[in-house]
Amino acid sequence: MPKAIKIKRGLNIPMLGEADRILMNTAFSDVYGVKPTDFHGITPKMLVGEGDQLKVGSPLFMDKHNEKILFTSPVSGILTEVVRGDKRRILEVLVKPDGKQDYIDFGKSDPLNLSREEIIEKLLKSGTWPLVRQRPFSIIANPANMPKAVFVSAFDTAPLACDLDFVVNGNEKNFQTGLDALYKLAGRKVHLSVDAKNTKSQAFLEAQNANIHYFEGPHPAGNVGIQIHHISPINKGEIVWYLDVYGVITIGRLFNNGYYDATRVVALAGPEVFKPRYYKLIAGARINSVTSANIRYNAGDELRIISGNVISGTKVDERGFLGFYDDMISVIPEGTKPELFGWLIPNPKRFSASRTWPSFLMPWKKYRLDTMVRSGERPFVMTGIYEKVLPMDIMPMHLLKAIMINDIERMEQLGIYEVAPEDLALCEFVCPSKIEIQSLIREGLDTIKAEFS
């Protein structure tokens, strides 16, 4: 095995409720939702109307800024409603399934025998192109660009994250076909990152048309942004594309089967889940299709349901929908009960990234963490705590302050092109000033993008 890249800075958050490696039957939803809000930076334009009959792969809307990028239906059925918010902004497109899964046939093919243009055309028409994202800006990739590299992370270190070895089981052929398509797209091998100690799947370890990189260390070692930073850092003017394992599998299915199949294995996890399990779901399924009767509601308690992981996911309710890029649903206590002198009393049931509480004496213990912030926003002062959990050669405090004062030149000098909100999620978790760091990073990226667009 080649020498592993060792990540020393970071933090594994020890939470209760990791999903057992048990795959439940496919959970079907009464309605499916495609949310334009999942795709940062796009302006949707509807292509169909309420009452229209749809097949799997039928276009729902497109991006006004790039009309080639289509967003398609994950199920066959009838478009029942277009949910709008302020200024008639489209929030959700709802499709009621007919149970038939009638697919549009895009044709089977071997991507190795196709040209780059033919592969792009098939991905665009089928609605699978949005699975390909780019750094900088963490947005949908522009098919007109040629990236300097393509990255796929085959392991996830976020709290309670999916075991991707378990997920790829049975999809080995589709995963390899997806890698082949990406190889032809980029004109070079894909950078595939694996866990040096825990990755066992031969689909990852023996992947073809891929440069395999071994990583070890705490979260965020599994973040693709950290892997890009250590393998092929992004400079101004450069573009890197990236996908998750589900994206590669979905693209592989498109070429192997000839149709868009948005089925994925999703983990239902967290301390408030009775039986944390894996479920087969179609992207956009309603959350309650798996949470009903499997989460605990104690008297007086409130729960937070999150599409995604607990530090970078999106808050939803049970009638909300699984995010387009999400592979897990997390359920944790809301944390609405104040504690008298809670900051003063040593509590063995609490976890601390520092030595504020005695959790450092019990590294094996897992905790029932909630959402309580336990203070308000405080002065934003130098502490050095961000550098302990961010394994990147940037100065996060200085970068955040540059964003606050809208100093574009300083943002560029401090590495804004390298980061995405998820990369600094741990900084937000440990932040003594209680700053919403991920929102601040997104604000900085949007400012830079608008300045040079």
Side-chain angles (χ1 to χ4, degrees), residues 13 139 153 190 202 437 448:
I13 302 175
I139 57 174
S153 179
V190 177
Q202 298 306 302
I437 291 173
I448 291 287

Side-chain angles (χ1 to χ4, degrees), residues 164-180 200-208 245 248-249 252-253 256:
L164 296 181
D165 276 20
F166 181 69
V167 166
V168 81
N169 185 37
N171 279 293
E172 293 86 353
K173 181 181 178 181
N174 292 325
F175 183 78
Q176 182 58 59
T177 302
L179 289 181
D180 294 341
K200 305 299 181 186
S201 173
Q202 298 306 302
F204 299 144
L205 298 178
E206 297 182 0
Q208 303 299 308
V245 168
V248 179
I249 290 173
R253 286 187 188 133
N256 287 333

Side-chain angles (χ1 to χ4, degrees), residues 124-151:
L124 288 170
K125 285 185 176 180
S126 63
T128 54
W129 182 264
L131 293 165
V132 184
R133 290 177 281 177
Q134 74 162 56
R135 298 286 184 102
F137 311 128
S138 192
I139 57 174
I140 295 172
N142 185 343
N145 295 333
M146 175 64 80
K148 77 164 187 174
V150 178
F151 278 78

